[in-house]
């Protein structure tokens, strides 16, 4: 059975690449682990690309935005009221004028894709106001239901949410992005 079709072999191969990347990072001129999360990300990128010299090409950051039903049912569960989610979505869409994520993206040549998958408000008229940002409207529902009382989503809603998420990720990856942060 080839490595491509054997999940155990793929996991072992990934683990081997991860160990090699971690060992290389520990040899660099810094105390081992001194860069914390950044080192874990670097090692993960090495393992994903199966090399100790990974390349980042046309990176993209995808931000999926929605409201959860528990917060909608009980405002005390979150320090922010539900309307803040729509405001943040609008700020992200406004790009570098209002969004630190867009400023970071522009400074590092990272494409930003902001996706409404379940904001409990009508934001369908929101469009990207900056070239660094793309806005996608893929709403499944106006937020989820209160998971403390019932399932947050039906099986059909979950399937639809995953499908809509894939429909955003696939063209970004196909356009040449070899690093996609979600």
């Amino acid at each position: 059975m080839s490595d491509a079709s054997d999940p155990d072999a793929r996991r072992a191969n990934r683990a081997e690449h991860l160990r090699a990347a971690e060992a290389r990072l520990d040899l660099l001129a810094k105390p081992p682990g001194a860069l914390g999360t950044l080192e874990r990300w670097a090692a993960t990128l090495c393992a994903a690309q199966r090399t100790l010299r990974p390349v980042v090409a046309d990176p993209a950051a995808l931000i999926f935005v929605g409201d959860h039903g528990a917060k909608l049912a009980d405002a005390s569960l979150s320090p922010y009221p539900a309307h803040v989610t729509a405001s943040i979505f609008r700020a992200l869409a406004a790009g570098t004028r209002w969004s630190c994520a867009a400023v970071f993206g522009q400074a590092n040549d990272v494409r930003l894709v902001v996706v409404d998958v379940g904001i409990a408000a009508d934001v369908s008229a929101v469009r990207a106001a900056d070239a660094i940002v793309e806005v996608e409207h893929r709403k499944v529902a106006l937020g989820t239901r209160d998971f403390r009382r019932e399932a947050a989503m039906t099986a059909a809603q979950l399937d639809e949410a995953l499908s809509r998420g894939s429909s955003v990720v696939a063209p970004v990856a196909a356009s040449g992005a070899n690093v996609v942060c979600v």
Side-chain angles (χ1 to χ4, degrees), residues 89 114-116 123-127 135-139 164:
F89 182 79
V114 185
V115 187
D116 168 19
V123 293
S124 60
V126 174
R127 300 289 179 259
V135 173
E136 296 280 344
H137 296 280
R138 306 297 173 97
K139 190 184 300 285
R164 291 181 187 194

Side-chain angles (χ1 to χ4, degrees), residues 31 41 43-44 61-62 73 91 107 122 136-137 154:
W41 288 353
T44 300
L62 282 57
D122 181 7
E136 296 280 344
H137 296 280
T154 65

Side-chain angles (χ1 to χ4, degrees), residues 1-181:
M1 192 176 284
S2 73
D3 179 57
S5 62
D6 180 2
D8 291 332
R10 283 195 315 270
R11 270 191 292 280
N13 191 273
R14 225 178 356 257
E16 181 182 316
H17 282 286
L18 190 60
R19 281 191 297 276
E22 289 167 344
R24 183 176 185 290
L25 288 165
D26 286 346
L27 293 174
L28 298 177
K30 55 159 193 59
L35 299 178
T37 300
L38 185 59
E39 284 189 44
R40 288 191 300 276
W41 288 353
T44 300
L45 184 60
C46 288
Q49 293 186 3
R50 299 176 183 207
T51 180
L52 294 178
R53 304 233 184 255
V55 175
V56 176
D58 191 28
L62 282 57
I63 302 175
F64 292 88
V65 185
D67 285 300
H68 61 80
K71 176 176 86 172
L72 296 173
D74 183 351
S76 70
L77 294 176
S78 174
Y80 307 104
H83 74 273
V84 171
T85 306
S87 296
I88 290 171
F89 182 79
R90 287 183 184 94
L92 288 165
T96 56
R97 286 186 39 219
W98 298 105
S99 165
C100 64
V103 170
F104 175 81
Q106 185 177 44
N108 294 283
D109 202 24
V110 176
R111 190 168 35 156
L112 179 64
V113 182
V114 185
V115 187
D116 168 19
V117 289
I119 299 171
D122 181 7
V123 293
S124 60
V126 174
R127 300 289 179 259
D130 201 321
I132 193 74
V133 179
E134 298 170 32
V135 173
E136 296 280 344
H137 296 280
R138 306 297 173 97
K139 190 184 300 285
V140 174
L142 292 169
T144 61
R145 294 188 306 262
D146 184 353
F147 66 83
R148 299 170 305 165
R149 292 176 176 63
E150 60 186 316
M153 304 171 85
T154 65
Q157 285 175 318
L158 175 59
D159 289 344
E160 187 62 28
L162 293 171
S163 174
R164 291 181 187 194
S166 293
S167 75
V168 173
V169 174
V172 170
S175 72
N178 73 343
V179 175
V180 179
C181 305

